[in-house]
Amino acid sequence: MRRFLFAVFLVVACATGAAAGSFEDGLSAYERGDYLQAMNLWYPLAAEGDAPAQFNLGLMYRHGQGVPQNFQEALKWYHKAAEQGHVWAQFNLGVMYRHGQGTPQNAQEAVKWYRKAAEQGSAWAQNNLGMMYEVGQGVPRDYREALKWYRQAAEQGDMPAQLNLGTLYDKGRGVPQDVQEALKWYRKAAEQGDASAQFNLSLLYDKGQGGSQDYQEALKWYRKAADQGHARAQYNLGVMYRHGQGIQQDYQEALKWYRRSAEQGHAWAQNNLGVMYEVGQGVRQDFVRAHMWYSIGAKASSGDERKISLENRNNVASQMTVAQIGKAHEMARRCQDTKFKECD
């Protein structure tokens, strides 16, 4: 399961008041990449207390746009805007306190500013506040509070919150386990393109949770996640092709997806590649490459997973010459040293 907090939100706020003309000139300069001119126009407004200008100065210092990157200055200007109720300044302060940017890391301060933004309706802040409650950062762990904030964000269409809300229902945290609700929220995030939600949705269909087993639906969502580079989805897609689940058995497709997953460090995919080379499924039988992938899989895993890869490697080694085993070890080293660019 991949849950995540958003990075600093890049937004240029709208201006209000008599200084709108100067603000809009700054906005035009910013949008054409003339950051120095934008800074020159916004700085006087910010110094006079204009919250949107203060926020934008914080943004520019945070990212080194027109000025050297300076987290302390970013924090200063975000504070000035946040204290006037600027919602995105409040959100960004939460991010910076959580990650210790321009200030010592302070989860309690992060929660404080996330809450202020969340109470103004910021879905991003609501999701992040939910995350803080879920993991117990800056506040005692409280799944019910996490559920509350995730729901508020999810109902606004926030994709990460939909994923996180689905996870709580899936695992029964803060609420009785409800696979139908998990399916509902996973699907909402999946339809927006979230790879983790697509993978989680696939798992439920694959295992027949929340209804009858549906390999076709599982295959559909695994593929969507796999096409985005989701390693576990790539591995599971390989499994489905290898065993003909929901689709015609196709060893070459299985090999392709195992390989993509293996190149991201997925140990089971690495082991299964070894199996396919050992028995010659979708590829010419090749003990050297089988041994190589078993070795890589063993190094990437632990416990029973590592034990299986080592047993497989020992079994195939019993059919190899000393020279072949030496070559396999060298290939495994080169494959790993080149980050899977030279594995053949």
Side-chain angles (χ1 to χ4, degrees), residues 115-135:
R115 189 183 304 280
K116 288 180 181 292
E119 288 173 348
Q120 292 199 67
S122 166
W124 284 24
Q126 289 164 350
N127 176 71
N128 285 13
L129 185 57
M131 183 70 178
M132 301 294 275
Y133 274 110
E134 183 179 357
V135 301

Side-chain angles (χ1 to χ4, degrees), residues 190-244:
E191 288 172 347
Q192 291 196 66
D194 186 272
S196 292
Q198 291 166 347
F199 174 75
N200 290 353
L201 190 59
S202 301
L203 279 181
L204 294 180
Y205 282 118
D206 195 352
K207 298 178 185 300
Q209 293 178 302
S212 59
Q213 193 172 48
D214 190 333
Y215 285 142
Q216 291 293 334
E217 278 294 296
L219 191 78
K220 165 187 166 183
W221 292 108
Y222 278 146
R223 187 182 302 282
K224 287 180 182 292
D227 284 339
Q228 293 192 67
H230 194 289
R232 291 177 66 193
Q234 292 169 339
Y235 168 74
N236 285 8
L237 193 54
V239 170
M240 295 190 79
Y241 272 110
R242 184 169 180 233
H243 295 286

